[in-house]
Amino acid sequence: MNTKPQWFLIESEQDYKIATARYEEIKRAPKGSDDHKEKLLLVHLISEYEKEQWDLPEVDPVEMIKIRMEDFGYKSADLAKEYGDKGTVSKVLNYKQALSITMIRKFSELLHIPAEALIKEYKLIKPGQRAA
């Protein structure tokens, strides 16, 4: 008999690892299935735990990405591998191009940053303008 795990609030790194591992197993569950319902619950529980644990600083989305890259030991090449275009990643990290919806989705998952933190408006550097 296949028994489903009983989920409670995530209160430790161990609970978090178990929840994220289970999420990875069922993240493509068909809508309306029991696994899909479980996935939605896990998304909520994981999100709440991350909000508590990762009191994210009030910085613009690019700075947030840079902070999380440092946290995880990632280089821009790691982001480019995930996104598929090194030039675009470089432009974004240098404030020369805005984040795309696809980048926001991929970087949110890769760097464990809530998508809401990546959709905030921020200033880009105009061609010929120097960074402050």
Side-chain angles (χ1 to χ4, degrees), residues 82-126:
E82 184 68 25
Y83 180 68
D85 181 2
K86 197 173 185 172
T88 302
V89 169
S90 175
K91 286 178 188 170
V92 167
L93 293 177
N94 288 300
Y95 293 90
K96 293 182 180 183
Q97 184 174 325
L99 283 158
S100 68
I101 293 294
T102 303
M103 285 182 140
I104 289 169
R105 287 184 185 128
K106 289 184 183 273
F107 297 165
S108 170
E109 191 172 316
L110 178 71
L111 300 170
H112 300 283
I113 303 171
E116 307 87 70
L118 295 177
I119 61 173
K120 290 181 192 164
E121 273 191 58
Y122 61 98
K123 289 199 182 299
L124 295 176
I125 296 172
K126 294 176 184 80

Side-chain angles (χ1 to χ4, degrees), residues 50-59 64 67-68 71 111-115 117-118 120:
E50 288 176 350
K51 264 190 247 170
E52 260 180 50
Q53 294 304 305
W54 300 328
D55 189 15
L56 298 171
E58 280 299 314
V59 295
M64 177 75 64
I67 290 168
R68 298 302 286 159
D71 290 347
L111 300 170
H112 300 283
I113 303 171
L118 295 177
K120 290 181 192 164

Side-chain angles (χ1 to χ4, degrees), residues 6 10 17 23 28 36 40 56 59 78 88 90 97 110 112 117 123 129:
Q6 182 82 38
I10 298 172
K17 285 180 180 164
Y23 171 80
R28 290 184 174 54
H36 185 259
L40 295 177
L56 298 171
V59 295
D78 298 308
T88 302
S90 175
Q97 184 174 325
L110 178 71
H112 300 283
K123 289 199 182 299
Q129 183 183 3

